[in-house]
Amino acid sequence: MDIQSIRTLLEIQALQTLGSTENSSSNNLTDSNSMFSNMISELLGGATTANSAKLSSLLGSASSVSSSINQFSSSNGLFENMQNSGYQSLLYNGSNAVYIPDSVQAALANTQSSTKLDTYVSDNVIGSTAYANALTGANQYASIIEKAAATYNVPEKLIAAVIKQESNFNPTVVSHAGAQGLMQLMPKTAQYLGVTNAFDPEQNIMAGAKYLRQMLDKFDNDPTLALAAYNAGASRVTKYGGVPPFKETQNYVKKVMNYYTA
């Protein structure tokens, strides 16, 4: 582990200590320091006295880091035995590898697992009664939605749910990005789908349903992936192997699925 890595750990601890001092009780500060102590302990684990001089040389080249270590050891006792231990695990025999403590790896793994597809549409919100009457605005377009659903084999309620989220049933709305009409078709997409007037409800809904069908076909009839592709583009869904990690797209999928399943 190089001197910069050690510096970074000390800076993290300094920030944690400052935040805990200003906003937390002494118990919270102790817990924070204890957690950081465990990380340092993992870094120091397995060290031998043979490398003490080498680390001392590294620390000696950065007086600010050395000073930070002395200050930190006086408050937490993390480095009380530094002169009695070596630092084989830190030095990696001259390699540039960076040691990542087990606790950090576990935190990263938990973060990664929390972005899986099943977290985007959680059971505690699907079918919520809060969405039960949200699609009443679709009644005025019922005949068009029925025609589009029959033509492209897309559930009527899914079409209505997309319209609700995209435009709230306003046929003249234009987004800041230039998307138009009930199902918010981008001009190039509308042209590709043969639309001559994106503000015409029938043309817009028919084209939007056709595009939804294409996305459903592309992603094995998975509505969550089809909706993600409708919002962010099919290439991004393919790139990330699921719903892209964009908050806008994740919220979009959640809301449309809530409308669809209510």
Side-chain angles (χ1 to χ4, degrees):
M1 184 176 188
D2 57 24
I3 195 68
Q4 184 58 41
S5 298
I6 298 175
R7 184 196 302 273
T8 299
L9 286 175
L10 292 170
E11 288 175 348
I12 292 172
Q13 170 60 15
L15 290 171
Q16 288 179 328
T17 302
L18 178 61
S20 298
T21 301
E22 294 177 349
N23 303 315
S24 304
S25 66
S26 59
N27 288 336
N28 289 336
L29 176 58
T30 301
D31 292 342
S32 175
N33 289 339
S34 176
M35 179 177 68
F36 192 80
S37 300
N38 291 337
M39 292 173 62
I40 296 297
S41 297
E42 292 182 28
L43 287 171
L44 298 178
T48 64
T49 56
N51 292 283
S52 178
K54 189 172 182 180
L55 183 62
S56 296
S57 175
L58 283 173
L59 296 177
S61 66
S63 59
S64 62
V65 175
S66 179
S67 175
S68 297
I69 289 176
N70 290 333
Q71 294 176 8
F72 191 64
S73 63
S74 64
S75 61
N76 290 333
L78 291 178
F79 294 94
E80 289 178 352
N81 298 318
M82 285 185 73
Q83 298 304 318
N84 297 322
S85 302
Y87 306 99
Q88 184 69 32
S89 63
L90 297 180
L91 299 178
Y92 279 82
N93 293 321
S95 79
N96 291 324
V98 176
Y99 176 70
I100 302 177
D102 292 341
S103 57
V104 175
Q105 293 186 34
L108 291 173
N110 289 336
T111 299
Q112 183 177 24
S113 65
S114 69
T115 61
K116 291 181 179 178
L117 179 61
D118 56 5
T119 66
Y120 298 133
V121 188
S122 55
D123 292 336
N124 64 335
V125 294
I126 287 182
S128 169
T129 56
Y131 295 86
N133 299 315
L135 301 183
T136 55
N139 293 338
Q140 58 188 311
Y141 306 110
S143 61
I144 302 174
I145 292 173
E146 183 180 358
K147 177 182 176 181
T151 301
Y152 298 111
N153 191 27
V154 178
E156 292 182 30
K157 197 173 182 181
L158 182 59
I159 296 173
V162 171
I163 297 174
K164 167 65 179 178
Q165 180 60 29
E166 292 286 0
S167 66
N168 196 29
F169 308 109
N170 181 352
T172 62
V173 68
V174 178
S175 75
H176 67 278
Q180 301 172 336
L182 289 168
M183 298 190 75
Q184 288 291 277
L185 304 176
M186 292 297 291
K188 288 185 178 180
T189 303
Q191 184 179 14
Y192 159 73
L193 295 169
V195 174
T196 58
N197 180 6
F199 299 109
D200 175 67
E202 182 166 356
Q203 287 194 51
N204 194 291
I205 292 173
M206 292 298 291
K210 180 178 181 179
Y211 189 66
L212 267 178
R213 180 70 264 165
Q214 292 175 356
M215 296 303 99
L216 287 165
D217 288 342
K218 186 174 182 65
F219 296 105
D220 299 322
N221 282 309
D222 185 329
T224 59
L225 298 184
L227 291 169
Y230 193 97
N231 176 262
S235 62
R236 287 174 175 167
V237 175
T238 300
K239 175 182 177 180
Y240 290 101
V243 178
F246 311 138
K247 182 169 290 186
E248 176 188 342
T249 301
Q250 294 170 9
N251 289 337
Y252 178 88
V253 172
K254 277 185 180 181
K255 289 180 179 179
V256 176
M257 287 301 294
N258 280 331
Y259 295 134
Y260 177 52
T261 58

